[in-house]
Amino acid sequence: MSFTSLNFLLFITVFTAGFMAMARTRVFTPFLLVASYVFYGYWDYRFCGLLAFATLVDFYCGMKIADADDKQTKKFYLFISLGMNLSMLFFFKYFNFFIDSAEVALSSLGVEIGQRTLTILLPVGISFYTFQNLSYGIDLYTGDLKQPERSLVRYATFTAFFPQLVAGPIVRARDLLPQIQSGPRDIPFQERFAGLEKVVWGYFLKIGLADNAAAVVDARFHQPEFYNALQHVMGLVCFSLQIYGDFAGYSLIAIGLAQIFGYTMCQNFARPYFATGMRDFWRRWHISLSTWFRDYVYVPMGGNRTRWLRTRNIVITMLISGLWHGANWTFLLWGALHGALMVAEDALRWLGSKSPIRLTGLSLAAGRLMMVGVVFVIVTLTWLPFRADNLHTVWTILGIIGDGDFTLPRGMQQASSLVRVAIMGLIVLMVDAMIEKGAGQRYAGTNVIVRSMACSFLILTMLLFGSFENHAFIYFQF
């Protein structure tokens, strides 16, 4: 069920009542596990069977890895865990993509094999919980996680923890499992209120910013030929705002809910559109995924020990990241673009280190502001293949933008949505800019009345200008 649905409001009300009654009892962890499966099974009860199967295999393999005396046995059970998770992910997410691609390739050679694809329902959140399970087995094998979880109920709760199950953050076992083992901690009111603030800000990003932008974006990508260059540029900017508001909003709601109930999860976004470079962007965007790829893909391949290894590993990691996001050539193109941009940035940084020119004072501030603008433009352009359904749509929109018709048409469609996006976007920009300048710590120290008034303003603005069409979160498809 979606965080923005009335069903979730009912669910969280019942869960809160159960939490208040059982939080300090031995039955709370089973209650949390059942609640998480109810939450997940709302989409399709069959998804629960797949999640339970993956949980059982990884739980068993984890204990075997930890208890084995020799490296070969550890490696054997690690390969079982890796093979199961990756096979499951491949079948449900990528089987038809590779079959279709092979069919097209063979057809170009004159070999016709007919239609071979299957009707496969993609389980919600499979990319997230498989990566979470993968990290558990790998950490046990490498010794980063010292002890396995020997309670199936606790491990299953870690895997299915409902706030972040469907779209992250991707939580490591060493961070969340100890909290599940000890149960929800007693936290002061101020910390619970801080969690509530995250939830309110998350809903503002989703309902206020992302869902208003969705109306503009969807129209342009469904019928791109009906819009001119200026309208497509506005559409791309709106998609930059939409995907940020949508995914950062989900992450904040998940982190805030967990905090209210006494659990701590990692930050997933850190004002990515204030990045001054592509590497900086990936330190700020989907942090739990970028660090996952860093620790389990980039570093094991050799990291940045040499310039050649660094270049190769960046490209491979970003291609895998693109494919993780979706079984489509558009996502591979998106990953390739980011990989190429990061390699180019490395080369420019190396050349810059040889230059005697150094910026100071106002020149440094102006240079930073310029780089923020440049990175935003580049990231916005690279969102085009990410959002497009196919490569044909990418070339169509690029062709229209290349034609250079930047006239403002009369009676522009989605005008009211554009106005609401501008209002919400300005508020988000101001808040993020203040946090970027360090105002977040000062705000956290103010009294609850002031913070309550700020939350009330956000809620009122969201009610006045938000979109309540219950758009699905973008990352549910991944």
Side-chain angles (χ1 to χ4, degrees):
M1 71 187 68
S2 173
F3 284 163
T4 56
S5 67
L6 292 176
N7 290 320
F8 179 74
L9 179 62
L10 176 62
F11 167 83
I12 203 64
T13 301
V14 174
F15 177 81
T16 302
F19 172 84
M20 294 174 67
M22 292 181 278
R24 307 309 301 174
T25 69
R26 296 179 63 182
V27 298
F28 177 74
T29 300
F31 168 72
L32 177 57
L33 175 61
V34 171
S36 296
Y37 268 81
V38 169
F39 172 83
Y40 189 58
Y42 182 82
W43 277 281
D44 192 319
Y45 68 90
R46 292 171 293 182
F47 295 167
C48 293
L50 189 66
L51 177 61
F53 171 74
T55 299
L56 286 170
V57 173
D58 284 305
F59 174 72
Y60 175 78
C61 289
M63 288 196 297
K64 290 296 184 180
I65 291 170
D67 295 341
D69 294 326
D70 60 287
K71 193 170 184 178
Q72 288 301 318
T73 304
K74 289 177 181 288
K75 188 176 292 186
F76 173 75
Y77 285 105
L78 175 64
F79 283 167
I80 291 177
S81 174
L82 295 177
M84 182 276 298
N85 282 290
L86 294 176
S87 297
M88 192 169 69
L89 189 61
F90 173 84
F91 177 76
F92 284 99
K93 192 167 183 177
Y94 303 109
F95 179 81
N96 283 338
F97 169 68
F98 284 103
I99 292 296
D100 284 340
S101 299
E103 182 184 343
V104 170
L106 290 172
S107 296
S108 66
L109 298 174
V111 179
E112 298 293 336
I113 62 172
Q115 186 71 24
R116 301 287 179 178
T117 56
L118 302 175
T119 302
I120 300 174
L121 183 64
L122 179 66
V124 176
I126 188 171
S127 296
F128 290 90
Y129 70 72
T130 52
F131 269 35
Q132 190 159 306
N133 284 337
L134 283 170
S135 67
Y136 174 72
I138 295 171
D139 285 352
L140 282 171
Y141 178 79
T142 59
D144 290 333
L145 184 63
K146 302 303 180 184
Q147 295 293 330
E149 176 51 65
R150 299 190 180 275
S151 164
L152 178 59
V153 171
R154 287 197 295 264
Y155 182 76
T157 305
F158 155 74
T159 303
F161 189 57
F162 78 86
Q164 48 78 231
L165 171 62
V166 177
I170 301 171
V171 182
R172 308 289 178 90
R174 59 178 177 262
D175 296 324
L176 185 56
L177 263 177
Q179 299 182 63
I180 292 173
Q181 290 165 355
S182 61
R185 59 194 172 91
D186 290 325
I187 61 175
F189 171 78
Q190 286 278 2
E191 194 170 338
R192 291 193 194 275
F193 188 80
L196 178 62
E197 287 177 308
K198 291 184 178 71
V199 172
V200 171
W201 184 236
Y203 274 113
F204 184 87
L205 288 172
K206 169 61 176 171
I207 295 173
L209 181 62
D211 288 356
N212 274 315
V216 179
V217 174
D218 291 347
R220 283 151 178 76
F221 277 89
H222 288 163
Q223 296 179 310
E225 62 278 3
F226 290 169
Y227 297 89
N228 67 10
L230 176 62
Q231 291 171 300
H232 276 299
V233 168
M234 289 190 294
L236 286 174
V237 172
C238 282
F239 183 68
S240 272
L241 299 177
Q242 180 193 0
I243 194 167
Y244 171 57
D246 193 282
F247 194 24
Y250 182 95
S251 298
L252 279 170
I253 296 169
I255 294 167
L257 286 173
Q259 185 172 342
I260 289 171
F261 295 119
Y263 298 91
T264 301
M265 293 197 299
C266 59
Q267 184 182 19
N268 212 25
F269 285 84
R271 303 163 302 284
Y273 292 147
F274 282 87
T276 56
M278 296 306 297
R279 186 164 60 179
D280 188 29
F281 175 79
W282 279 102
R283 290 194 189 105
R284 296 165 175 263
W285 179 275
H286 201 349
I287 298 168
S288 63
L289 179 68
S290 59
T291 54
W292 197 100
F293 277 119
R294 180 198 66 198
D295 295 343
Y296 301 112
V297 178
Y298 181 79
V299 171
M301 288 194 301
N304 55 359
R305 288 203 299 264
T306 67
R307 289 190 62 81
W308 155 245
L309 277 177
R310 178 176 175 79
T311 299
R312 185 201 69 176
N313 295 342
I314 286 174
V315 172
I316 292 174
T317 301
M318 293 313 300
L319 285 173
I320 296 173
S321 174
L323 191 61
W324 177 88
H325 280 85
N328 197 316
W329 289 105
T330 55
F331 292 110
L332 275 174
L333 175 58
W334 173 77
L337 288 171
H338 275 261
L341 288 165
M342 291 176 74
V343 170
E345 180 182 84
D346 268 0
L348 290 173
R349 185 176 286 110
W350 181 79
L351 291 173
S353 68
K354 306 296 183 181
S355 171
I357 300 174
R358 294 291 182 269
L359 298 177
T360 58
L362 291 175
S363 298
L364 184 62
R368 176 181 171 81
L369 185 61
M370 182 183 71
M371 286 307 302
V372 168
V374 169
V375 171
F376 178 77
V377 170
I378 291 173
V379 170
T380 296
L381 288 173
T382 59
W383 283 131
L384 172 56
F386 189 98
R387 174 59 180 82
D389 294 329
N390 49 60
L391 292 175
H392 174 73
T393 302
V394 174
W395 311 138
T396 299
I397 293 177
L398 284 176
I400 293 171
I401 293 175
D403 287 341
D405 180 8
F406 288 93
T407 58
L408 188 65
R410 292 183 178 180
M412 189 168 57
Q413 295 177 329
Q414 298 90 40
S416 62
S417 293
L418 281 167
V419 171
R420 289 195 294 270
V421 169
I423 293 170
M424 299 299 190
L426 183 60
I427 294 173
V428 172
L429 174 64
M430 291 169 57
V431 171
D432 278 0
M434 288 188 293
I435 296 174
E436 189 72 12
K437 288 293 186 179
Q441 292 296 326
R442 294 193 297 273
Y443 171 78
T446 58
N447 63 59
V448 173
I449 295 176
V450 173
R451 293 163 65 183
S452 297
M453 291 175 63
C455 286
S456 299
F457 168 77
L458 291 176
I459 293 170
L460 179 61
T461 306
M462 184 168 53
L463 291 173
L464 290 173
F465 300 107
S467 172
F468 294 90
E469 296 181 11
N470 198 24
H471 292 277
F473 286 90
I474 293 173
Y475 269 67
F476 280 9
Q477 63 185 297
F478 306 139

